[in-house]
Amino acid sequence: GENVEQHPSTLSVQEGDSAVIKCTYSDSASNYFPWYKQELGKRPQLIIDIRSNVGEKKDQRIAVTLNKTAKHFSLHITETQPEDSAVYFCAAGNTGKLIFGQGTTLQVKP
Amino acid sequence: EAQVTQNPRYLITVTGKKLTVTCSQNMNHEYMSWYRQDPGLGLRQIYYSMNVEVTDKGDVPEGYKVSRKEKRNFPLILESPSPNQTSLYFCASSSQNYGYTFGSGTRLTVV
């Protein structure tokens, strides 16, 4: 079946450094690629998304890139801050059917 | 306030005792979905609905039922719960062009 692979599973960076999380997907029909942030004990929250007709999207310190040919997309966080520490999930699909990656635990050390 | 409300937040039940987790959204969203979250496995989609009376299976539908009789409600039914259904469950909703908004979660324990 369709799946989404996410790497790395854990990531530790120093405050101010950049963090990159990568995902690959298998279903070539996927056209919607959101990223979610989940803080401990809370619900996942949408932080940025990209559609298949766009290659890159940026929102302040967060950017997402998409390579549809290679079926992979990435989340880039610049100038990381301690409050960026959380679990990040990528997802791929269409608006109804959405498959999530396994998650990346990001730790930003002050 | 725009939100997805699911109840209960916590539930402990015994094997085989039918239960329903309710989900309601006040944003007039067409799409609704149920996910379960287990450590190391991420969020796995159980069922989703694209509109009233339209539902489809996700990746892990076995042991679950859903219904979408009204646009705002999407209950999750476990007819005969088993211990392997112990998990954190999230309901979510979205409009056609946006990502899912998640509810606060229901932590289910089946003993």
Side-chain angles (χ1 to χ4, degrees):
Chain A
E2 299 98 354
N3 73 308
V4 175
E5 294 288 332
Q6 182 172 345
H7 298 280
S9 56
T10 60
L11 180 58
S12 182
V13 300
Q14 211 64 39
E15 183 178 358
D17 287 350
S18 295
V20 180
I21 303 170
K22 299 183 178 182
C23 289
T24 59
Y25 62 98
S26 61
D27 186 2
S28 55
S30 296
N31 61 12
Y32 179 66
F33 307 90
W35 287 86
Y36 287 81
K37 176 183 180 182
Q38 187 178 29
E39 296 174 339
L40 193 62
K42 297 192 176 179
R43 74 191 80 185
Q45 293 204 297
L46 180 68
I47 55 172
I48 195 167
D49 57 11
I50 193 167
R51 299 186 185 278
S52 59
N53 58 347
V54 176
E56 185 173 351
K57 183 176 178 181
K58 191 173 180 181
D59 182 4
Q60 299 183 0
R61 298 185 296 108
I62 294 174
V64 58
T65 58
L66 171 65
N67 183 328
K68 259 218 127 188
T69 303
K71 288 195 261 185
H72 67 70
F73 55 114
S74 301
L75 177 73
H76 304 252
I77 306 174
T78 58
E79 300 170 20
T80 53
Q81 301 165 4
E83 51 265 37
D84 293 331
S85 295
V87 179
Y88 291 80
F89 292 98
C90 63
N94 299 291
T95 317
K97 184 171 177 63
L98 206 57
I99 299 173
F100 282 74
Q102 298 88 343
T104 296
T105 301
L106 173 64
Q107 181 187 27
V108 180
K109 298 181 205 172
Chain B
E1 180 189 352
Q3 59 187 356
V4 178
T5 304
Q6 54 183 110
N7 284 295
R9 291 293 308 276
Y10 300 92
L11 179 59
I12 301 174
T13 190
V14 296
T15 299
K17 186 176 181 182
K18 180 180 178 180
L19 66 91
T20 299
V21 184
T22 63
C23 176
S24 178
Q25 51 95 3
N26 63 359
M27 296 169 279
N28 201 36
H29 284 166
E30 298 90 352
Y31 296 88
M32 296 188 75
S33 183
W34 278 100
Y35 285 86
R36 62 178 287 176
Q37 184 173 27
D38 302 288
L41 297 178
L43 292 144
R44 294 181 292 168
Q45 194 169 35
I46 303 170
Y47 271 96
Y48 62 100
S49 169
M50 289 170 283
N51 216 321
V52 175
E53 302 290 4
V54 181
T55 62
D56 207 348
K57 295 177 181 178
D59 292 322
V60 289
E62 297 79 17
Y64 304 95
K65 283 176 59 176
V66 293
S67 68
R68 187 98 182 270
K69 294 189 172 67
E70 307 163 283
K71 196 171 186 179
R72 63 183 291 125
N73 295 323
F74 191 47
L76 179 70
I77 303 157
L78 284 72
E79 295 267 4
S80 183
S82 63
N84 64 11
Q85 293 178 297
T86 292
S87 187
L88 177 60
Y89 291 86
F90 285 103
C91 180
S93 72
S94 75
S95 61
Q96 192 167 4
N97 296 316
Y98 295 94
Y100 277 122
T101 298
F102 283 85
S104 298
T106 295
R107 189 166 291 282
L108 172 66
T109 302
V110 184
V111 297

